[in-house]
Amino acid sequence: MRNSIISLLIIVCSSFVSGQDTLQLPPLLRFNDGSEVKSVRDWEKRRKEIRSIFENEVYGTAPVVPKNIKFRIVQEDKNALNGKATRRLVNLYLNKLSNPVELLIYYPNKPGRVPAFLGYNFWGNYTITNEKEVPLTSLWVPDREKETDNRAKETMRGIRTNRWPVEMIVDAGYALVTLYSGDIDPDYDDGFDNGVHAIYKKEKYTWGTIAAWSWGLRCVMSYLEKDDKINSEKVAVIGHSRLGKAALWAGATDERFALVISNNSGCGGAALSRRKQGETFTAINTRFPYWFCNNFKKYNDKEELLPVDQHQLIALMAPRPVYVASADKDAWADPEGEFMSALLAGDVYRLYGLKGVGQKTMPEVEVPLQNGHVAYHIRSGKHDITWYDWQQYILFANKRL
Ligand code: GCU
């Protein structure tokens, strides 16, 4: 199949945005057999083709998401954030996983079900808040200062409040649902003996850690459908960087997510691979050999042979709204490549009569493009998720959720 796809490569003229010559990208609107995708109905079939290539060649296959996930509310404080919010800790019990998956949820104190942002954190729930009641994780955590011995420490409480403007989110009428990515799969090369990989080991799924994290988000979504305070038809899945890659793949594989947000997700996320700007396949597969499936390693130094590129991943969200964001000092994530993916995905949105990003050239920093169903902004500054980014996501969610 690969050969037939390669022979169908179309030339997408990208010089107007990138100053590069031309890029040859696999087509969005042609089937693997070369015939044209002309309607939404055609696209619904084409989407399956594209999704299965990503599954087989990039992220790997994953088990189905369990339907009836057991859960328990283990803590509730109706007076969190000085009375603005209700904070709950909810434990999910996933099929033989030795640890419960611990959700930290802040709900605005207002009647009715509310829309929500759902996203992983990198270091544990207790790092996103200063509220002392949120417990430390007992699991392995990345060794941030080379002094924590891979264990959570009270001194790390609140170190990531800069990335999580909980009050802003709650004030805007949204719940925030977050969990530590290591609750699903620890972020190190463990031969897949830990986390959810271990419990499904016998079944020979090919998933890497990014796909495992995506699967975890989908399990949380199954829980949110039962949460008495959440409007599960209005859940935005969000992630920064590696967790942005996971958010995108979760959005692509699960249409229950009504909005998908990629913050600085870069290689294997929103950035076009064929540009080979910033992080390349060889770089990512060398440092993080466990993130993607084994097939993906075949494309080291051969980005142009992978039968998909990342504009097709963004297009898999259509017609649901999607937001791609970059930072101007984040060359490793290739901001232009992220913009181009968002721009090109617009072709599929147009089939639905919807607008894409709305302009062909990259906007100036801090001039967000939010009028279509594909939104984009580039912020000044480094690789990070900041309050500025969240302000934009909330504005877009207000419009599109
Ligand atoms: C590394 C990695 C990126 C990833 C980033 C992050 O820089 O190379 O692919 O996105 O970490 O998760 O912060």
Side-chain angles (χ1 to χ4, degrees), residues 59 72-73 77 81 138 173 178 197 212 215 241 245 292 295 309 348:
Y59 302 103
R72 199 156 66 87
I73 299 171
D77 178 357
L81 306 180
S138 59
T178 186
H197 279 110
W215 179 89
S241 205
K245 307 181 209 296
F292 300 91
N295 274 349
D309 210 318
V348 174

Side-chain angles (χ1 to χ4, degrees), residues 122 163 187 240-243 245 264-268 279 283-284 287-288 291-292 332-333 383:
F122 278 71
R163 285 189 172 170
D187 193 3
H240 167 61
S241 205
R242 66 197 70 185
L243 303 178
K245 307 181 209 296
N264 307 184
S265 62
C267 179
E279 191 169 26
I284 205 164
R287 266 179 81 203
F288 305 102
W291 276 4
F292 300 91
W332 191 236
H383 184 69

Side-chain angles (χ1 to χ4, degrees), residues 17 339 357 359-369 376-379:
V17 277
F339 173 71
V357 289
Q359 73 180 48
K360 290 188 173 159
T361 49
M362 251 181 113
E364 298 291 307
V365 288
E366 277 117 43
V367 181
L369 305 176
Y376 178 84
H377 75 249
I378 177 161
R379 165 180 57 72

Side-chain angles (χ1 to χ4, degrees), residues 282 315 338 375:
T282 301
E338 295 186 315

